[in-house]
Amino acid sequence: MLVAWRIQRLLNQLHNSLESPSRNPRSAVVLGRLLGSAFIVCLLTGLYSHFIQDPLPGMAFLTRPIWIYQVSQGIHITSGILCFPLIFAKLYAVFPELFSTPIVRSFPHLLERASIALFVASSLVQLTIGLLNTYQWYALFPFPFRQVHFALSFVVVGSLAIHIAVKLPIIAQYWRKRDSYAADGSVVRHELTQAERQPDELQRLTGRTYYSGVTGRIFQWIDRTPSPAPSTSRRGFFATVAVAGAAIVGLTAGQSFRWLDVANIFGPRKNGTGPQGLPVNRTAKDADVVAAATAASWRLTVSSGSTTQALSYDQLRAMPQHEVVLPIACVEGWSQYARWSGVRVVDLVALVGGDTGAAVRLTSLEQNSSYAMTTLQPEFASDELSLVALDLEGAPLDIDHGYPARLIAPARPGVLQTKWLTSLEVLS
Ligand code: HEM
Ligand SMILES: Nc1nc2c(c(=O)[nH]1)N[C@H]1C(S)=C(S)[C@@H](COP(=O)(O)O)O[C@H]1N2
Ligand SMILES: [Mo]
């Protein structure tokens, strides 16, 4: 008993010594709402990216505007990166609450603390692996990135939901009658009526509770000792977070959005680098396709049912050529526009008498890779901007860009823009 009391007192002292004007419920509320919004944006854009790669039966996607995937994924990565200063600031603001006492008050309280622990841990992992992935450091992961990142999304959002659900009664109470904030950011609690006071167990226990909006965090100060001189003012704190957020966004978002390109310092891919001025993810050498891609015997096999045509490079060149300006919008966040020309997918489908409303399966010369085979959903296959490209910026494709022929289609992730094509198969 005595030991428990001592631990409790130690925790209280720790708690009190960590006090600072920027560590107040309001800072936590503001940061919590910003962070919560950024997470929701990440979840929605992430789900878009997931389903465009692995659509459920019956799902269809927009093919216009051509930059919809670029913007969606650019927002995913940019708001994901913005989560770093926000989550560190948020953890800073609520840090003393780690030592709040009693450690566990009740079963719901245990559930709350456990859900917060899960939420913080899973969020940090989610953000970190996401960022590492944009730098293509996934070779470091002993697990498949997409599946883990996808699954963790539900852990992150689920633990946040549990956390809010546990707090719902209190949230409801505070929405009915809001407290206000004092100049130092602390909560001025509204006068509780006797009826309101009765069911509030925490109030009885501690005398003082603070409540933070969306996250439902309870702030509880016990045995307040006079605080040390403030080290960081609340304004200074927010200014720091805002500057850090603006800087990190401003210096990376250029990888996804052209007009910020000049400021792209940290983004792993820069516009204009690579052969023909376009970045390359996997080279022909890495993909082990150099011999097959340069062989004179190369043909593009186009088929629909039992009709098959094996087209040589020259035969493809002899078909009507079309020019499009479309971005490569990599799932990892970088995007770059380029001028492509080649044969329309719809023309190739028509050549073998295929249904222009059908999906088309594309096969690469590359073997044993998740890029080896992709499917053009009907809405993309029938789009006149979808090309089997032969030229990039007015010259034949560099071998690293998919020579002899690659797919380029609007509004889709880069991973689906298959290089080194060997066949097109109309599915029915
Ligand atoms: C709470 C925060 C986040 C959530 C909920 C989230 C969610 C998702 C989801 C659901 C996907 C689709 C996965 C799939 O295709 O199965 C995704 C993809 C992705 N996310 Fe996140 N994400 C978050 C933060 C981040 C951050 C901070 C970064 C990087 C800075 C990031 C980078 C990526 C990348 C690169 C992909 C593409 C993966 C691929 O298709 O290969 N994410 N995200
Ligand atoms: N066969 C094959 N196609 C591929 C790839 C690949 O590795 N192999 N990389 C994809 C990815 S992830 C992107 S973003 C684009 C990049 O195109 P680039 O390397 O020509 O710039 O091609 C896609 N097509
Ligand atoms: Mo990519």
Side-chain angles (χ1 to χ4, degrees):
M1 212 46 227
L2 190 63
V3 177
W5 183 80
R6 289 220 163 143
I7 293 175
Q8 186 115 333
R9 203 180 56 167
L10 190 73
L11 287 174
N12 271 337
Q13 285 167 348
L14 240 171
H15 185 279
N16 293 340
S17 68
L18 289 168
E19 248 181 64
S20 140
S22 50
R23 286 186 165 134
N24 60 59
R26 187 172 164 215
S27 304
V29 170
V30 172
L31 290 166
R33 285 180 186 163
L34 287 172
L35 198 56
S37 314
F39 276 23
I40 297 303
V41 168
C42 280
L43 180 70
L44 297 177
T45 51
L47 290 177
Y48 188 70
S49 183
H50 174 84
F51 287 114
I52 202 167
Q53 292 179 68
D54 295 312
L56 296 177
M59 271 188 170
F61 292 85
L62 293 170
T63 63
R64 296 290 182 285
I66 57 164
W67 39 257
I68 184 166
Y69 182 80
Q70 174 199 0
V71 168
S72 167
Q73 196 59 8
I75 288 174
H76 186 84
I77 305 296
T78 306
S79 58
I81 289 173
L82 180 63
C83 287
F84 282 92
L86 292 179
I87 200 167
F88 292 138
K90 168 88 187 182
L91 288 174
Y92 172 87
V94 302
F95 186 57
E97 301 314 306
L98 218 60
F99 312 108
S100 70
T101 50
I103 299 166
V104 174
R105 267 191 318 268
S106 60
F107 183 68
H109 185 236
L110 174 69
L111 197 63
E112 194 220 347
R113 293 203 90 167
S115 66
I116 291 173
L118 185 62
F119 176 60
V120 171
S122 56
S123 305
L124 287 175
V125 172
Q126 181 77 330
L127 298 179
T128 306
I129 64 171
L131 185 67
L132 290 180
N133 189 74
T134 66
Y135 288 89
Q136 302 203 322
W137 288 356
Y138 33 64
L140 294 179
F141 305 150
F143 50 78
F145 171 79
R146 271 190 72 207
Q147 283 84 333
V148 170
H149 195 70
F150 183 68
L152 267 181
S153 302
F154 299 98
V155 178
V156 168
V157 175
S159 54
L160 179 62
I162 292 177
H163 175 43
I164 292 173
V166 172
K167 287 293 153 227
L168 216 53
I170 303 168
I171 293 173
Q173 179 188 327
Y174 279 80
W175 271 349
R176 262 181 267 135
K177 209 171 208 177
R178 261 175 189 276
D179 296 343
S180 54
Y181 295 115
D184 69 351
S186 66
V187 177
V188 179
R189 203 177 155 89
H190 75 81
E191 205 61 52
L192 287 181
T193 64
Q194 194 58 33
E196 278 174 323
R197 203 188 301 270
Q198 258 339 327
D200 192 343
E201 172 214 2
L202 199 59
Q203 174 79 15
R204 263 201 327 271
L205 252 161
T206 66
R208 293 181 77 179
T209 61
Y210 300 96
Y211 168 68
S212 102
V214 167
T215 59
R217 192 87 181 82
I218 279 292
F219 291 81
Q220 170 198 351
W221 272 261
I222 310 177
D223 286 352
R224 276 207 163 207
T225 46
S227 15
S231 49
T232 321
S233 77
R234 187 165 51 86
R235 248 178 228 198
F237 175 64
F238 272 108
T240 309
V241 176
V243 168
I248 203 163
V249 164
L251 298 179
T252 49
Q255 67 175 332
S256 317
F257 305 107
R258 265 188 297 188
W259 30 274
L260 278 169
D261 183 48
V262 283
N264 177 13
I265 308 291
F266 296 136
R269 289 289 182 286
K270 312 216 181 328
N271 272 339
T273 55
Q276 297 174 300
L278 187 67
V280 166
N281 274 350
R282 188 173 297 173
T283 63
K285 203 157 159 275
D286 291 343
D288 198 19
V289 295
V290 177
T294 51
S297 59
W298 180 85
R299 295 287 181 277
L300 182 69
T301 309
V302 186
S303 64
S304 172
S306 54
T307 316
T308 298
Q309 290 252 16
L311 300 167
S312 70
Y313 189 70
D314 291 339
Q315 283 174 310
L316 281 170
R317 286 252 175 235
M319 289 180 71
Q321 304 289 299
H322 297 272
E323 189 174 279
V324 298
V325 174
L326 289 176
I328 291 279
C330 184
V331 289
E332 282 132 30
W334 66 268
S335 287
Q336 194 184 317
Y337 284 79
R339 189 162 55 86
W340 312 86
S341 72
V343 182
R344 280 183 178 153
V345 171
V346 279
D347 291 348
L348 291 165
V349 169
L351 192 69
V352 291
D355 171 4
T356 44
V360 173
R361 183 185 294 150
L362 310 163
T363 312
S364 172
L365 293 170
E366 188 180 356
Q367 314 268 309
N368 309 321
S369 151
S370 50
Y371 307 106
M373 196 183 272
T374 55
T375 304
L376 263 179
Q377 298 296 115
E379 63 274 25
F380 295 106
S382 59
D383 194 300
E384 59 175 26
L385 292 184
S386 298
L387 299 187
V388 167
L390 306 171
D391 285 347
L392 166 56
E393 301 298 341
L397 290 170
D398 185 280
I399 190 159
D400 288 339
H401 285 308
Y403 175 88
R406 80 171 301 164
L407 181 85
I408 188 77
R412 325 174 80 209
V415 278
L416 301 179
Q417 313 279 31
T418 311
K419 302 198 277 190
W420 312 296
L421 287 174
T422 183
S423 75
L424 259 69
E425 200 184 329
V426 184
L427 305 174
S428 47

